[in-house]
Amino acid sequence: MKKFIKSYKDIITVPNILLAWEEFLSGKRKRDDVVIFQSRLMDNALNLYHDLKNKTYIHGEYKAFNISDPKPRNIHKATVRDRLLHHLLYRETYPYFDTKFIYDSYSCRVDKGTHKAIYRLDEFSRQVSVNHAKTAWVLKCDIKSYFANIDHLVLIGFLDQSISCQKTLELLTTIINSYQDSPKKGIPIGNLTSQLFANIYLHPLDIFVTKILKEKNYFRYMDDFVILSADKKYLIELKDKIKNFLQEKLKLQLHPRKSNIFRADFGLDFVGYMIKPTGVSMRKKTLRRYKKRHKKRLKQLKKYKKRLKETQRLIQPSLFENCLKDTPQTEELEEKIKVLKAKLRSSRNSFKGFLQYSKYERLKTGGVKINGIIIPQIFPKKK
């Protein structure tokens, strides 16, 4: 396999650090730690560059917090300086690794994602079942505590097979070793590099299933994967082979309760959607979560706009002045409004993408009804 040949000195440059900073800034401009770093950007960028150049760089500690997305997750947040480096390494190495990944790996990849995964899975489900005229079986698997059980030495070994520059490999190793859930195991969910590492780690599984076992109906989204077949006994044998491969080569285990074989026409639950002979629909709990999040964002947006008007009214200029002067308060509110609008636009576009593959009813109120749940005002009213 052709290796990643870009040298350390070509990756670690001040222009590259500043380009990575611009990408990193998206949606974070007003966060306190980002504002502080930005206030001395050139000094901070040059200090990072010199530490990396002189090989004196040390990764900082992580700040831990919990989220529900929807299940509880423990997130570990690195410092701004470290996250800037993560962005730099990601933007430099991702294009190379992406060309090596199989087509039907859909998580954290450009031009992939949940919609393409579900569309392709539905297409192949119809092929295997001959448009649901025959019984199709599904092997659906989940890896137990995937991120927490990624073995550092195994991951570094995979990177060593792909990266020719020893200095670059050593820097990636520093990031991997900066965190552990147990001795020499685990990568933090909060790191951008973790998304890439997670796909690299399961790439040997993708190759084993598609090239060695020659399975064409295999689809993976991070640590969730499914295989379709008209033969149930074949899937039982396949599950044992995959289980052994994961244990022996990757030191991972299938989740005992979330790795099952069942009939596809009973409903295939994957990446938040349900595929049935009658069509694709979003899971009810996914719809309810979307509705709740969308409603919360609209309420927040309304609150920020109201607060911005009140702030502008307090600082309204005299009749002899032409315009309002920006203040730190108005700038912060404007940034929050901008970020919220971007999130609303993104979620609306995501929902529009899903509606391409699903049956729904458009309501006179501007909302849509899908799977028995009404999502109000999902699209902006046309003027």
Side-chain angles (χ1 to χ4, degrees), residues 82-277:
D82 294 327
R83 283 183 284 155
L84 173 55
L85 175 60
H86 300 166
H87 272 260
L88 170 61
L89 291 172
Y90 183 88
R91 74 185 302 274
E92 291 292 331
T93 58
Y94 168 80
Y96 164 80
F97 283 107
D98 189 60
T99 62
K100 307 302 175 187
F101 297 148
I102 65 168
Y103 182 87
D104 287 306
S105 168
Y106 291 92
S107 177
C108 304
R109 296 181 65 193
V110 177
D111 291 329
K112 294 291 182 176
T114 55
H115 295 153
K116 289 199 174 181
I118 209 70
Y119 174 75
R120 183 128 163 116
L121 187 54
D122 181 45
E123 178 187 352
F124 274 70
S125 178
R126 292 178 184 278
Q127 288 181 15
V128 173
S129 65
V130 193
N131 275 330
H132 305 292
K134 295 182 179 180
T135 300
W137 294 89
V138 182
L139 168 60
K140 184 174 184 292
C141 295
D142 180 280
I143 295 173
K144 184 178 179 182
S145 303
Y146 176 51
F147 277 76
N149 285 306
I150 288 178
D151 188 279
H152 288 190
L153 293 178
V154 174
L155 175 58
I156 293 165
F158 292 154
L159 291 172
D160 186 35
Q161 294 170 19
S162 302
I163 295 175
S164 58
C165 177
Q166 193 62 31
K167 287 183 179 180
T168 303
L169 179 62
E170 288 173 2
L171 183 55
L172 290 168
T173 300
T174 297
I175 293 173
I176 293 168
N177 289 334
S178 69
Y179 173 89
Q180 57 183 17
D181 281 284
S182 56
K184 292 295 180 181
K185 282 196 172 186
I187 58 175
I189 295 176
N191 281 6
L192 178 63
T193 46
S194 293
Q195 298 177 5
L196 181 59
F197 292 154
N199 271 331
I200 291 170
Y201 201 86
L202 282 183
H203 180 61
L205 171 66
D206 299 340
I207 297 302
F208 174 71
V209 175
T210 59
K211 304 298 183 184
I212 307 301
L213 301 180
K214 301 188 183 299
E215 179 51 58
K216 296 179 180 179
N217 303 315
Y218 168 80
F219 310 86
R220 182 172 67 81
Y221 192 93
M222 197 48 73
D223 62 317
D224 293 330
F225 58 91
V226 298
I227 300 174
L228 301 168
S229 176
D231 187 346
K232 183 179 179 181
K233 289 183 179 179
Y234 165 73
L235 290 180
I236 293 171
E237 295 173 1
L238 208 59
K239 182 181 177 182
D240 287 336
K241 291 177 182 178
I242 290 171
K243 180 181 177 181
N244 292 335
F245 179 86
L246 287 170
Q247 289 176 344
E248 293 171 10
K249 302 295 183 181
L250 303 180
K251 300 183 181 181
L252 298 171
Q253 292 183 338
L254 289 178
H255 197 293
R257 290 186 292 102
K258 297 180 181 179
S259 301
N260 303 298
I261 298 171
F262 53 89
R263 285 176 52 161
D265 56 350
F266 287 176
L268 171 50
D269 183 353
F270 191 59
V271 295
Y273 302 99
M274 184 69 74
I275 299 176
K276 293 182 178 180

Side-chain angles (χ1 to χ4, degrees), residues 20-21 24-25 28 31-38 41 44 48 57 59-61 77-87:
W21 175 254
F24 169 79
L25 269 183
K28 308 182 188 74
R31 294 180 183 175
D32 291 344
D33 53 353
V34 177
V35 170
I36 292 169
F37 194 93
Q38 173 87 29
L41 177 60
N44 288 325
L48 176 60
Y57 168 79
H59 198 288
E61 295 183 355
K77 181 181 176 182
T79 65
V80 173
R81 170 184 162 96
D82 294 327
R83 283 183 284 155
L84 173 55
L85 175 60
H86 300 166
H87 272 260

Side-chain angles (χ1 to χ4, degrees), residues 4-68:
F4 176 79
I5 59 172
K6 198 167 185 178
S7 69
Y8 185 84
K9 69 176 183 178
D10 290 333
I11 295 173
I12 306 303
T13 67
V14 174
N16 279 348
I17 290 173
L18 294 176
L19 282 172
W21 175 254
E22 287 303 313
E23 292 179 3
F24 169 79
L25 269 183
S26 179
K28 308 182 188 74
R29 291 179 184 274
K30 294 300 177 180
R31 294 180 183 175
D32 291 344
D33 53 353
V34 177
V35 170
I36 292 169
F37 194 93
Q38 173 87 29
S39 66
R40 298 182 67 249
L41 177 60
M42 284 309 302
D43 287 342
N44 288 325
L46 288 171
N47 286 338
L48 176 60
Y49 167 72
H50 288 304
D51 282 351
L52 292 168
K53 182 183 177 182
N54 299 327
K55 299 188 73 176
T56 56
Y57 168 79
I58 299 174
H59 198 288
E61 295 183 355
Y62 291 87
K63 181 180 178 182
F65 59 94
N66 296 317
I67 63 168
S68 296

